Amino acid sequence: MASVLQLGRNDVDRRNFIRASSGYALSALGLPDMDSITRRTTTVSPRAVRVGRGEVAAVRHMVKALGDSASELGGGHARHLAVRYLTQDVAPWLEGRFTEATGGELFAATSQLVHLAGWMAQDEGDTPELRGLAQGYYAHSFRLAAEAGDAELSATALRGLAVQCVDLGYRAEAVQLGEACVEYGRHLDNPLAVAYYEATLANAAAQDDVRHMATKHLAMSETAIGRPTVAGSDSWAAHYSPGRWAHESCMILSRLGDLDAAEEHLHLALDIHGLDRPPRHRPRRPRRRPPTPRRHRRRHGHLARLPRLRRRHPFGQRPGRTAGHARTPAPVQRGSRGSATS
């Protein structure tokens, strides 16, 4: 807990910057202290501030508000607001008096805030300092989530590290982090999250040229994305729509050399989302058009195409193109903007 607060203070003061390194191995992340919350409840000073559900709700509300701002205006727009909120407002609560149940919720909410700070740093730019900050925030987000016993937040933090590894070319480490991410999320009752993490491992394996692993986990992500989901979820994977899955699958299949299947998935992504993204600020219409059968099929009928795609292009059974038609896999794209949540 103290180390993440120190990281935030250094970020605000713009000093003691760390650089992203190859220290992405799980052993380098530091083992979570699974008894930290319990120990905190018994050793805290009686004069410490009292923390309850209201403070936890405040952190969650700020994560949503800052996250919405960052998604509209870019990670650099509000990163220092997020970090100052962590170091000035949340810090006294982390050092305060709370029950074990409230402590778990507080650590989980703080994990989300720290993860958001990491995503903001990664989205802001591709400098060594920003990459180092993102790495540090993701690692601390994982520890806070693991100590809170939140499997989904733990997996999401590991996913952020795995994606950053791919961007920086640490492919073996990306596979290891992707495997840990999948292991944390294996038993979640959230198909979108499972698909999100399985696709992360599939992409890392494809970048590391481990074809059998990539095809296996891409198929598992397809199975998960086709399951019904609960509307209105506040999960970090809630944005991972079938269209995003189809686009990511296209890139993975292209990396594996299966260009026909990649083209099919690209067309599916375009059919769902269209060629261009809508403008971020759109004037409100006086009223919505009534749903027509054609619009309903366009918005809700895309999942029915997944079984047909799989029959035509079963993952792991279709070889790449012959040597005369093979395309050299694209190099790893370093520092792609917004990759932490894409």
Side-chain angles (χ1 to χ4, degrees), residues 7 11 75 79 82-83 86 111-125 130-139 141 160 164 236 340-341:
L7 175 64
D11 186 3
R79 180 168 64 85
V83 176
L86 170 67
S111 170
Q112 295 184 57
L113 178 63
V114 173
H115 183 96
L116 178 62
W119 181 86
M120 287 174 163
Q122 187 170 358
D123 187 67
E124 184 174 349
L130 289 170
R131 290 197 299 262
L133 281 171
Q135 180 185 14
Y137 282 128
Y138 287 147
S141 175
Q164 195 182 30
W236 281 80
T341 59

Side-chain angles (χ1 to χ4, degrees), residues 161-163 165-166 170-179 200-201 204:
L161 286 167
V163 170
C165 277
V166 170
Y170 303 129
R171 299 176 183 179
E173 291 86 349
V175 172
Q176 294 173 358
L177 288 164
E179 288 177 315
T200 298
L201 178 53

